[in-house]
Amino acid sequence: MTLPCDCGAAACYANCCGRWHAGEAAPTAEALMRSRYSAFVRGDVAYLLASWHPSTRPSTLDLQAQIKWLGLTVKAHHSTGPDTATVEFIARSRLGGGPAQRLHELSRFVREKGRWFYLDGDH
């Protein structure tokens, strides 16, 4: 039995976010955002940094190993121009044995040379 992808899509990881993690360009800003969530679940720092636009990318990224990701809900996604888009989402997580937390963000994305990048977001 094949489990659904970490991002919540019905497709298995290899046919969903795994493709983007392996180097194929995500076709939409929403697909990139879902793949970034999946990368957080899997602790894939290299992918997170590579999919972050160079103008806003941090030099390093430390993920907390005690975080358990509980799910992703995409609330909305909009094209804001030919090479720009926004995605509103809620990501749920739990740190250690603590209470569940929600990250509600409106993320901005930009496409350059056929590849989408996370630019920034408002919480």
Side-chain angles (χ1 to χ4, degrees), residues 96-118:
Q101 301 175 358
R102 292 169 29 121
L103 169 65
H104 187 175
E105 182 172 299
L106 178 63
S107 297
R108 286 178 286 281
F109 296 85
V110 62
R111 182 172 45 197
E112 293 181 352
K113 298 179 183 174
R115 196 168 279 276
W116 284 100
F117 292 93
Y118 169 76

Side-chain angles (χ1 to χ4, degrees), residues 36 40 45-46 48-63 118-120:
R36 286 177 54 80
F40 274 105
V45 172
L48 291 166
L49 291 172
S51 61
W52 208 314
H53 193 269
S55 68
T56 57
R57 177 189 314 143
S59 56
T60 62
L61 185 62
D62 290 325
L63 301 183
Y118 169 76
L119 192 57
D120 60 18

Side-chain angles (χ1 to χ4, degrees), residues 24-77:
E24 192 176 331
T28 65
E30 181 187 357
L32 180 69
M33 189 282 308
R34 287 179 170 281
S35 72
R36 286 177 54 80
Y37 172 84
S38 185
F40 274 105
V41 170
R42 293 170 174 266
D44 189 344
V45 172
Y47 180 79
L48 291 166
L49 291 172
S51 61
W52 208 314
H53 193 269
S55 68
T56 57
R57 177 189 314 143
S59 56
T60 62
L61 185 62
D62 290 325
L63 301 183
Q64 295 178 335
Q66 300 85 7
I67 287 186
K68 176 173 174 55
W69 293 95
L70 305 173
L72 174 69
T73 303
V74 175
K75 304 295 277 178
H77 50 90

